[in-house]
Amino acid sequence: MINELLQQARTDAPSVTALAAELIRLPSRGGIDDYEPVLASVENWLKPRSLRHRRLHNPDGEAVAILIEVTGDRPGPVWVLDACLDTAPFGDETAWSFSPTAGDVSNGSLRGRGAADSKTAAAVFCHIAAAVSLQPHKLAGTLAVLLDVDEHTGNFGGAMALMRAIDPVTIAGAMIGYPGHEEVVIGGRGVFRVRLHVHGTAGHSGSSKPNTANAVSRASRLVTALEDLPLPAPVTGGFPLPPKLTITEFHSGEGFTSVPDHATVGVDVRLTDALDAKDAEELIRKASAQLDADFPAPRATEIEAALCWPPYRLMPGDQPAAALFAGAEAAGISARPKVAGPSNIGNLLATHKIRTTAGFGLPYAGLHGTDECVDLSALPTIQAAYHHAVLNLLAPRT
């Protein structure tokens, strides 16, 4: 079977590259650009191929994804392929050696923002859906291809819309097309995010009276205390990465002459089996209470919850990881399992008990940085590996 899939992928390669290039030329930076052009481009590709698809919307009625559904002749679960159509910002465009929206091929690399994350994967998944749709008699269940936006904003609106569009109980697993051909990501640290509202006493910076409750000074002390917190080491035989706490925001003040009475501190904690959300919240709460005791203010420090996702981890033999490893091996790729430090949509899906791989794709450079590109020489093998995995997962069981 793999030889046929590799030949199919080689035949598809010019079309995959053309679609990915078109998508790259349409800027779709999360929270910055209008998503309509990139969504419409995908729809224009799908319509003449008679692939059943629909737009998914957030609670405000904004389009946040395109969902392609290929249903087999026999009943079975839903398996999801996911790739985002929105991208990271361009950053300093003068640092790029080519346009962030180049969408061209140079020395075998497809160039531009989104080439790696994850417009090339979106083009690959569209072609897999088109091929699979021609053989419904060989399928038990449904292949759902989610092409989402509102991902790089951190809102993950497309993935959340999927949970509203399809009963999560029916979804057996998902594979996310993040780049990197040497590893299949089978887990990720969880995330616990809060904003701390640190209060103080307002005043004039030139006043002759001392102000011991400057919100900026109090917040700075809290930042130091949080960064000095000892965190537990990884559990033997458990999650391979340690937990991590990072200060990611600090906002306060309105000018040189005003002593601020409020400061906001953003805290990002990466969770493992050694430190869960309850433990992380308790650490932050104790540090905040200690600040309030040592350096009193008119109001106690307040903790505003922002996001909480658990860590997740598959075993290599769990589906859909096993199918993807098998597909990679059949295509001649020796990929190793990896648990990632960053969180991803897999953490969100884990809250619905959906097993997810979150990375296997083309070799890349410049991810979220300058000169983003992917190496197209690996395109046929990556596509064949995913195609093999999909057929394996959707094969009728006797």
Side-chain angles (χ1 to χ4, degrees):
M1 177 175 68
I2 192 62
N3 289 333
E4 295 176 2
L5 298 182
L6 283 167
Q7 183 55 49
Q8 175 74 55
R10 294 187 189 102
T11 301
D12 285 347
S15 177
V16 171
T17 302
L19 176 57
E22 179 180 338
L23 299 177
I24 292 166
R25 288 192 288 269
L26 299 170
S28 54
R29 293 165 291 178
I32 298 174
D33 296 312
D34 181 8
Y35 301 135
E36 178 59 31
V38 74
L39 293 172
S41 177
V42 171
E43 288 172 330
N44 289 338
W45 190 90
L46 296 172
K47 287 175 182 176
R49 292 163 177 84
S50 301
L51 283 166
R52 182 162 61 96
H53 64 279
R54 52 181 164 143
R55 288 195 181 193
L56 303 184
H57 300 82
N58 64 17
D60 294 328
E62 299 166 331
V64 289
I66 292 173
L67 178 63
I68 307 165
E69 294 169 288
V70 179
T71 301
D73 288 347
R74 303 188 192 184
V78 177
W79 295 96
V80 177
L81 292 176
D82 172 47
C84 57
L85 293 172
D86 69 331
T87 72
F90 297 152
D92 180 5
E93 295 186 48
T94 64
W96 288 64
S97 63
F98 50 84
S99 169
T101 56
D104 62 0
V105 177
S106 177
N107 296 320
S109 292
L110 178 60
R111 309 189 303 175
R113 177 63 83 228
D117 185 12
S118 292
K119 292 180 176 181
T120 306
V124 168
F125 291 169
C126 283
H127 283 74
I128 291 175
V132 169
S133 70
L134 300 177
Q135 298 178 311
H137 59 286
K138 294 184 178 181
L139 310 179
T142 297
L143 172 64
V145 178
L146 179 71
L147 306 176
D148 54 324
V149 294
D150 197 27
E151 196 258 27
H152 285 83
T153 60
N155 296 326
F156 299 99
M160 292 183 178
L162 177 68
M163 298 300 98
R164 295 188 295 270
I166 299 177
D167 184 352
V169 173
T170 68
I171 300 177
M175 295 178 284
I176 304 172
Y178 295 137
H181 69 296
E182 296 178 337
E183 299 159 333
V184 174
V185 176
I186 58 172
R189 287 188 292 196
V191 62
F192 177 74
R193 292 174 182 162
V194 296
R195 288 187 176 88
L196 305 179
H197 297 279
V198 182
H199 301 283
T201 301
H204 195 291
S205 61
S207 173
S208 58
K209 298 179 181 180
N211 187 336
T212 58
N214 183 326
V216 168
S217 299
R218 297 185 75 248
S220 298
R221 294 178 186 274
L222 180 56
V223 166
T224 299
L226 290 171
E227 290 183 331
D228 289 343
L229 285 174
L231 300 180
V235 177
T236 302
F239 214 79
L241 299 173
K244 182 181 181 183
L245 184 150
T246 307
I247 306 301
T248 56
E249 297 179 33
F250 196 122
H251 307 289
S252 187
E254 296 181 356
F256 287 106
T257 61
S258 298
V259 176
D261 59 5
H262 177 252
T264 302
V265 177
V267 185
D268 179 289
V269 184
R270 298 303 163 123
L271 308 173
T272 70
D273 52 358
L275 184 78
D276 62 17
K278 182 179 179 181
D279 297 330
E281 182 177 7
E282 183 64 18
L283 287 175
I284 293 170
R285 195 172 296 282
K286 285 183 176 179
S288 300
Q290 191 64 52
L291 172 77
D292 294 338
D294 294 343
F295 303 95
R299 294 171 59 186
T301 300
E302 298 165 329
I303 301 177
E304 175 194 354
L307 180 68
C308 182
W309 287 346
Y312 82 99
R313 183 185 183 189
L314 280 63
M315 293 297 104
D318 294 335
Q319 295 292 21
L324 191 50
F325 279 117
E329 183 178 2
I333 303 172
S334 179
R336 59 183 180 270
K338 177 185 178 181
V339 175
S343 304
N344 54 67
I345 289 177
N347 296 88
L348 169 61
L349 298 181
T351 65
H352 295 278
K353 304 186 186 307
I354 298 171
R355 292 175 172 176
T356 305
T357 62
F360 178 69
L362 296 178
Y364 66 92
L367 181 71
H368 286 202
T370 58
D371 289 354
E372 182 176 342
C373 62
V374 289
D375 180 358
L376 291 174
S377 65
L379 179 58
T381 53
I382 296 298
Q383 178 172 324
Y386 269 108
H387 197 164
H388 187 282
V390 167
L391 294 178
N392 185 335
L393 293 168
L394 288 169
R397 309 301 175 189
T398 56

